[in-house]
């Protein structure tokens, strides 16, 4: 099969699976959830996280047995070399705390990479039936509407996604710089789902997103979508993002111009403006 058509088929199939998985999550709402802690009382996992990841693993192994899988719950086999394989990077429920407490503001995130290069990005909010997706080189879509490339904006006109946790003293970054960013922006929001916040940058609900600690499944799909729209994407230290790093990493994405302005005037200075 021609490579282009093969990727079209994978894209179509991955979208269908994601929507089916979303329907499964909708069907569970109102029922009893088995909730467990992973690393702390704030780090939750449910049986649905495991079920949705298993759903993808079973389908991928059956239809694409040569593909590798990296999932948040670690239910698939270890990847040998992600830079020589096709890898599905899956977060079965991004925003599990929201899923448990709000039954909203969570999503399924699926990114597919070929030898380390982005190919397919899918983020699906099953409660609002909002579907963000792209196949590299074909534009990014919000449901069936093609999204326009991101336009430049100013700091004063921007609304940024940032978790309030990072605005307090922490061991990862100078919180004063992040506070200064929030003070100079039009506003800030925290949704509680990294993948959704990346999708919101793609569709214009946010102008940028900063966070200090994410794993690949949190941002794999979002980076593919944002790359298609011309977003600027780095770590908070303005370094390239390594999707298959073994460590949690910071992520800073923003519209063109805004990313450079924040990097130059707020993040790379020795002392945050206004202090």
């Amino acid at each position: 099969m021609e490579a282009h058509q093969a990727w079209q088929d994978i894209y179509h199939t991955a979208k269908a699976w994601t929507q089916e998985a979303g329907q499964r999550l909708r069907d569970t709402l109102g029922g009893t959830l088995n909730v467990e802690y992973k690393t702390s009382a704030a780090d939750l996992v449910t049986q649905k996280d495991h079920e949705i990841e298993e759903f993808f693993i079973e389908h991928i192994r059956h239809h694409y047995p040569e593909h590798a899988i990296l999932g948040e719950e670690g239910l698939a086999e270890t990847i040998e070399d992600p830079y020589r394989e096709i890898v599905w990077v899956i977060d079965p429920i991004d925003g599990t705390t929201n899923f448990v407490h709000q039954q909203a503001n969570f999503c399924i995130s699926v990114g597919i990479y070929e030898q380390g290069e982005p190919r397919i990005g899918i983020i699906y909010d099953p409660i609002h039936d909002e579907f963000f997706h792209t196949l590299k080189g074909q534009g990014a879509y919000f449901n069936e509407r093609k999204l326009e490339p991101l336009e430049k904006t100013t700091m004063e006109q921007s609304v940024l996604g940032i978790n309030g946790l990072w605005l307090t003293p922490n061991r990862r970054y100078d919180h004063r710089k992040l506070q200064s960013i929030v003070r100079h922006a039009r506003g800030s929001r925290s949704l509680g789902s990294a993948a959704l916040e990346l999708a919101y940058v793609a569709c214009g609900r946010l102008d940028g997103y900063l966070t200090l600690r994410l794993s690949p499944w949190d941002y794999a799909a979002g980076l593919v979508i944002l790359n298609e729209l011309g977003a600027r994407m780095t770590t908070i230290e303005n370094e390239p993002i390594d999707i298959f790093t073994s460590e949690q990493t910071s992520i800073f994405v923003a519209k063109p111009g805004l990313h450079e302005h924040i990097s130059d005037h707020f993040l790379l200075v020795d002392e945050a403006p206004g202090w």
Side-chain angles (χ1 to χ4, degrees):
M1 183 184 299
E2 181 188 278
H4 175 75
Q5 185 59 50
W7 278 108
Q8 288 283 2
D9 291 347
I10 295 170
Y11 181 43
H12 175 79
T13 301
K15 289 192 295 180
W17 290 348
T18 304
Q19 290 179 310
E20 182 180 345
Q23 181 61 54
R24 292 187 176 208
L25 289 178
R26 281 197 298 269
D27 291 344
T28 69
L29 296 182
T32 301
L33 290 174
N34 178 21
V35 182
E36 299 177 356
Y37 300 159
K38 289 199 282 189
T39 60
S40 70
D43 188 10
L44 305 180
V45 64
T46 72
Q47 78 272 25
K48 293 303 172 185
D49 293 83
H50 291 284
E51 288 177 15
I52 296 301
E53 188 162 313
E54 284 284 10
F55 167 83
F56 278 101
I57 291 171
E58 291 173 4
H59 281 66
I60 295 166
R61 285 176 174 167
H62 178 72
H63 292 273
Y64 307 108
E66 70 281 10
H67 293 187
I69 305 165
L70 176 62
E72 179 177 14
E73 306 311 323
L75 304 181
E77 67 277 5
T78 303
I79 299 174
E80 293 184 7
D81 185 352
Y83 298 100
R84 300 183 65 182
E85 303 175 83
I86 293 175
V87 182
W88 295 58
V89 188
I90 300 168
D91 195 336
I93 304 178
D94 186 66
T96 299
T97 300
N98 292 346
F99 176 64
V100 171
H101 285 268
Q102 301 174 353
Q103 297 193 342
N105 298 320
F106 62 89
C107 66
I108 300 168
S109 176
V110 179
I112 307 178
Y113 286 69
E114 181 183 29
Q115 298 179 359
E117 294 298 318
R119 281 289 189 171
I120 292 170
I122 300 169
I123 297 172
Y124 183 42
D125 175 349
I127 301 305
H128 299 103
D129 195 25
E130 293 187 338
F131 197 47
F132 304 86
H133 54 98
T134 187
L135 172 61
K136 183 178 180 180
Q138 296 190 8
Y141 291 80
F142 177 16
N143 293 329
E144 298 310 312
R145 175 172 64 87
K146 189 172 184 179
L147 295 170
E148 296 296 325
L150 298 179
E151 297 182 353
K152 291 184 177 181
T153 192
T154 65
M155 189 73 173
E156 295 75 17
Q157 295 174 315
S158 66
V159 176
L160 304 174
I162 186 169
N163 190 319
L165 172 67
W166 307 125
L167 303 178
T168 62
N170 64 85
R171 292 178 293 177
R172 289 183 173 265
Y173 202 77
D174 183 352
H175 67 288
R176 298 175 304 164
K177 294 182 180 182
L178 303 182
Q179 287 179 347
S180 189
I181 291 171
V182 170
R183 287 205 315 275
H184 285 79
R186 174 173 286 171
S188 62
R189 303 290 184 269
S190 179
L191 193 61
S193 166
L196 271 185
E197 288 177 285
L198 293 171
Y200 282 12
V201 176
C203 71
R205 293 174 184 169
L206 292 173
D207 299 292
Y209 174 63
L210 301 90
T211 189
L212 301 183
R213 189 178 64 201
L214 288 185
S215 298
W217 42 80
D218 298 312
Y219 57 86
L223 294 193
V224 187
I225 294 168
L226 287 166
N227 187 61
E228 199 72 9
L229 297 171
R232 302 295 184 262
M233 305 177 290
T234 65
T235 68
I236 205 165
E237 294 84 9
N238 210 28
E239 298 292 332
I241 298 169
D242 180 2
I243 182 68
F244 293 112
T245 178
S246 59
E247 304 291 334
Q248 290 185 317
T249 186
S250 62
I251 297 290
F252 172 34
V253 304
K255 291 181 175 178
L258 179 62
H259 186 287
E260 292 82 354
H261 180 79
I262 291 175
S263 292
D264 293 344
H265 296 279
F266 293 88
L267 298 179
L268 300 184
V269 295
D270 292 334
E271 188 171 327
W275 288 88

